[in-house]
Amino acid sequence: MNTTPSSNQHFTSTAATRRALVLGGGGSTGNAWLIGVIAGLFDAGLYVTEADLVVGTSAGSTAAAQLAGATPAELLAAILAAAPQQRTGPAGSDGGRVPVRQVADHLERTARIIAAAEDAADMRRKMGALALDLAAASDGSGRWRAIVAARLPNQLWPDRRMLITAVDAHTGEPAVFDRHSGVDLVDAVAASCASGFAYRIGDNSYIDGGYRSNAENADLAAGSARVLVLSPFGGRSRTPVDWGMHLATQVDELRAGGSGVETVFPDSSSEHLFGANAMDLSLRPPAARAGYSQGSALAGKLTEFWR
């Protein structure tokens, strides 16, 4: 099978899209925080999962798919009830878990690539080449798919419009999957979360959607009347500002295009749960609780905006 997602232009929203929910990447703790925020909003009577469009990137793609198959309350309860976890890193090239030291090494390697890249396209190509080398050493796409599938309550694309981001590892071209792409939801999410190696779908291979533009890819909500962005990484980006890839740049462009935009970042008391600690499974419960508290506190303000 040769999967060729349509161009990004095809996926930009139309004026008919009233509300868009953008779920950013942020590792394991970011996924838990996203679920917590949405559960807090939900319990306060604000159902943001009813958005006309949901954009999911990396951990945000997992959250988007999970929320399409279970209620926020169910997902939050599962996080809080999970057995205590040892500190671990992201999925390795065999689809398993890797030591935290290797997480730091991966961040250092990718930081060097970003620093040496001429522009965003060059960066994506080099990131893809690194991921393909790691996959060649031990291609764990099958095992990674099984891990991702086990996280999703429902493995079918929802009727509501959902966009899942990735990057073609061979060409560095941005990719966006939806229910019309001919790609299973599990594969789309697995590709979007492939930060340690290239994930194979048919004849193609893909890497983390956060390399498409940034951890949020909020530009895909262009044309929406209202856009709510939940960003576990707080809108931070490791790329140079002059590449125009930062969330703040995308928010400005959305507003210039007529969209109302609200962003939600982790508050100062929970910032330590993200960034370098984003893959620490033991921090998922506190991240979810922090998100729930924020969602509950912001419900009044966001209800006025959303409705």
Side-chain angles (χ1 to χ4, degrees):
M1 179 179 68
N2 182 26
T3 56
T4 54
S6 300
S7 67
N8 296 325
Q9 185 64 32
H10 171 75
F11 287 101
T12 54
S13 303
T14 67
T17 303
R18 294 191 303 118
R19 299 172 300 183
L21 175 64
V22 176
L23 303 179
S28 183
T29 58
N31 171 267
W33 179 82
L34 290 168
I35 297 298
V37 171
I38 293 171
L41 294 173
F42 190 91
D43 286 352
L46 180 55
Y47 310 133
V48 296
T49 53
E50 295 180 352
D52 304 291
L53 167 67
V54 178
V55 178
T57 295
S58 197
S61 74
T62 304
Q66 289 171 322
L67 289 161
T71 68
E74 290 170 337
L75 295 172
L76 177 63
I79 294 171
L80 298 180
Q85 299 285 334
Q86 296 297 315
R87 194 175 183 201
T88 58
S93 59
D94 64 350
R97 312 310 297 180
V98 298
V100 174
R101 179 64 253 171
Q102 291 186 32
V103 179
D105 290 344
H106 181 71
L107 289 173
E108 290 174 6
R109 284 195 298 270
T110 54
R112 288 195 295 270
I113 289 175
I114 293 170
E118 297 177 0
D119 53 25
D122 186 43
M123 179 270 293
R124 288 192 292 264
R125 287 190 295 270
K126 289 176 177 176
M127 290 292 185
L130 171 63
L132 287 167
D133 285 344
L134 293 172
S138 177
D139 189 353
S141 292
R143 186 177 177 189
W144 180 232
R145 188 184 197 282
I147 291 171
V148 171
R151 296 172 178 170
L152 306 187
N154 187 334
Q155 297 179 16
L156 300 177
W157 285 96
D159 291 333
R160 292 183 183 276
R161 194 160 178 244
M162 179 187 296
L163 304 182
I164 303 297
T165 65
V167 170
D168 188 307
H170 294 280
T171 66
E173 288 297 313
V176 183
F177 300 104
D178 71 357
R179 67 177 180 268
H180 302 300
S181 299
V183 171
D184 288 346
L185 178 61
V186 174
D187 286 318
V189 173
S192 190
C193 296
S195 61
F197 70 108
Y199 178 77
R200 284 187 296 105
I201 304 178
D203 297 330
N204 292 354
S205 295
Y206 298 90
I207 60 173
D208 196 293
Y211 294 124
R212 174 191 171 273
S213 177
N214 54 41
E216 297 81 25
N217 291 299
D219 60 297
L220 290 172
S224 303
R226 291 182 290 284
V227 182
L228 176 60
V229 183
L230 306 185
S231 171
F233 282 154
R236 296 188 298 274
S237 175
R238 296 192 294 160
T239 60
V241 174
D242 60 10
W243 286 5
M245 299 173 67
H246 287 211
L247 175 60
T249 300
Q250 294 186 349
V251 168
D252 288 343
E253 291 172 349
L254 287 169
R255 288 173 174 157
S259 299
V261 185
E262 287 286 348
T263 57
V264 179
F265 304 150
D267 60 28
S268 58
S269 65
S270 61
E271 286 179 343
H272 66 286
L273 300 173
F274 309 97
N277 293 322
M279 301 311 299
D280 188 341
L281 298 181
S282 70
L283 296 180
R284 279 177 59 77
R289 286 191 289 267
Y292 185 88
S293 296
Q294 280 192 261
S296 300
L298 291 171
K301 171 188 175 183
L302 292 178
T303 295
E304 182 178 354
F305 163 76
W306 193 248
R307 293 178 178 170

